[in-house]
């Protein structure tokens, strides 16, 4: 679009440049927790509260969903944040010697 034009009566019209371009929403990633037979329920709740900032009742509901269904979403984040969450869960699981598996996939 021209920024400035003159019509047949001599009136000059100017269009102000856009000051706020809309940005595309970033792709989002689901961070998944996987069930296993050895990680304690309490540890999974601790992870969901500490790493994913879930309330106690949200954490218990997600943990039970994973326990009953095999996998569940701990949270949805941009890729960098999701990667950091996965690394934190891995480090804590290793530190506490649990086999808890945490992965991420595009939403
Ligand atoms: N299945 C585990 C138990 O019965 C609990 C558990 C839930 C483990 C969720 C991992 O991601 C998990 N102790």
């Amino acid at each position: 679009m021209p920024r400035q034009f003159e019509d047949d009566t001599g009136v000059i019209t100017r269009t102000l440049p856009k000051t706020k371009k809309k940005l595309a929403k970033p792709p989002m990633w689901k961070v998944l927790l996987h069930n296993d037979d050895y990680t304690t329920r309490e540890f999974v709740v601790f992870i969901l509260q500490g790493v994913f900032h879930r309330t106690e009742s949200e954490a218990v509901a997600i943990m039970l969903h994973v326990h009953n269904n095999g996998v569940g979403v701990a949270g949805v984040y941009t890729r960098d944040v999701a990667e950091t969450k996965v690394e934190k869960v891995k480090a804590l699981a290793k530190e506490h010697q649990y086999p808890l598996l945490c992965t991420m996939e595009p939403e």
Side-chain angles (χ1 to χ4, degrees):
M1 259 233 294
R3 285 207 56 241
Q4 177 174 326
F5 68 91
E6 186 172 351
D7 69 13
D8 51 16
T9 71
V11 173
I12 292 170
T13 303
R14 281 187 197 166
T15 312
L16 290 170
K18 270 194 184 164
T19 52
K20 214 181 158 198
K21 278 247 166 70
K22 279 199 178 161
L23 295 175
K25 286 196 188 129
M28 300 301 276
W29 291 67
K30 294 186 284 192
V31 176
L32 306 174
L33 289 177
H34 300 259
N35 190 37
D36 68 73
D37 292 338
Y38 304 102
T39 306
T40 63
R41 293 173 178 224
E42 291 73 19
F43 183 72
V44 177
V45 170
F46 162 80
I47 289 287
L48 285 161
Q49 291 189 267
V51 177
F52 298 94
H53 308 298
R54 298 297 185 171
T55 64
E56 164 128 50
S57 62
E58 284 173 338
V60 170
I62 294 167
M63 180 279 293
L64 286 174
H65 175 92
V66 175
H67 176 74
N68 290 320
N69 298 277
V71 64
V73 178
V76 180
Y77 308 95
T78 56
R79 187 161 74 165
D80 279 12
V81 175
E83 279 169 354
T84 304
K85 304 278 184 202
V86 170
E87 289 313 311
K88 281 185 182 168
V89 174
K90 280 187 180 169
L92 285 165
K94 187 175 180 180
E95 184 185 330
H96 292 81
Q97 298 184 292
Y98 287 122
L100 179 62
L101 182 63
C102 181
T103 62
M104 56 192 267
E105 66 176 37
E107 204 179 28

